[in-house]
Structures are given as structure tokens and as C-alpha cells.
Amino acid sequence: MATSEEIELRVESEDSARSAKRSAAAKRIGELAERRSAIVSELNDVERELGEVLVDSSAVIEIGELARFTDVAAADLTRWLENQLKNQKGERAKRKKPTRGSGPNNASRQKPATVRTPSIEKPATPGESPGAQEAAAGTPAGVS
């Protein structure tokens, strides 16, 4: 039977080998994840640039022609173009925030303007104040 010291050495030996494998696996995963992140970032930059060029050139060449000339799938070209247009639209929306009370949605909430019909002023009767005369004519005091 093994002594306590022998058991401890055996466990440490096993654990050190396992720890070394775990450490190596964690390092490799970290390196690969970092590399992947850099590649994804670069890919996003290339796709954004592709979208910009597609937007800029859309007046002179169509997606179908580009697909024929470049052997790039029209679906990919369309996706890059639409992503760029969507991003541009989102950027414009972020830059220009509508003020409260403006815009087409607010029109339905506003009260319609009331049209005032001109009233014929009647002469003041003796003892009647100008405010009473205006009230009778339907106009607020001080407004002529």
C-alpha cells in the first residue's frame, strides 16, 4: 500500500500533466480567437468598402453586369450593396433626430386650425365697455 507522501506525489504528477494540457489548450484557444477577431474585423472593413464602391458605381453599372464581369455572385453583390445602403440610412437617422412636434406622424395628432370668420362690429351702446363689445363680437379683448 502507498504511503501518504507517495499518494501526494502521484496526484501532483497527474495534476501537473493535466494542468500543462489545460494551459496549452487555453493559450491556443485564446490565440485563435484573437486571430479570428482580427480577420472578422478586416472582413467587415472589406465588405463595407465593397458596399461603398457598389453604391458609388450603381449609376454606371448594374449588379448583373458586375456579376458577369467579375464572376462574383449577384447575391453577394446585392447583399453588400443593401448592407451599405442600410448602414447609410441608419447613420443619417442617427445624425438627424426629429424634434418633437415635427414630422408626418405628428400631423395626425395636431388639432386642426380653426378658421375665424370676420365679425361685423356693432357700435358700443352707452354704458357698455369695449371688452363687452368685443365679447359680443366673438373676439378676445385686446385683439382687433
Side-chain angles (χ1 to χ4, degrees):
M1 187 175 279
T3 66
S4 295
E5 289 178 7
E6 290 173 333
I7 293 172
E8 189 174 333
L9 287 174
R10 290 176 187 171
V11 169
E12 285 178 12
S13 175
E14 287 265 333
D15 284 352
S16 67
R18 184 171 184 259
S19 275
K21 289 178 184 178
R22 291 172 42 144
S23 178
K27 286 179 187 177
R28 184 67 178 142
I29 294 294
E31 291 167 355
L32 290 171
E34 189 175 316
R35 182 175 163 208
R36 180 191 179 279
S37 179
I39 291 168
V40 167
S41 178
E42 185 176 349
L43 179 62
N44 288 337
D45 289 345
V46 170
E47 286 185 355
R48 179 191 43 76
E49 191 173 346
L50 275 164
E52 289 172 355
V53 173
L54 286 163
V55 168
D56 292 344
S57 64
S58 64
V60 295
I61 191 165
E62 295 178 0
I63 296 289
E65 292 176 309
L66 280 169
R68 278 195 324 269
F69 296 153
T70 62
D71 290 333
V72 176
D76 289 339
L77 295 168
T78 301
R79 179 174 43 90
W80 296 324
L81 175 63
E82 288 174 352
N83 284 343
Q84 182 63 26
L85 293 173
K86 182 176 68 174
N87 288 340
Q88 287 177 346
K89 184 179 180 182
E91 289 172 6
R92 275 186 261 131
K94 287 179 188 175
R95 278 185 264 134
K96 183 180 177 185
K97 298 239 180 199
T99 58
R100 185 174 181 177
S102 69
N105 291 337
N106 193 45
S108 62
R109 287 182 267 158
Q110 290 180 346
K111 294 180 182 177
T114 55
V115 179
R116 289 194 136 160
T117 56
S119 61
I120 301 172
E121 292 185 30
K122 64 177 191 175
T125 56
E128 190 175 39
S129 70
Q133 178 187 359
E134 290 169 349
T139 57
V143 177
S144 50

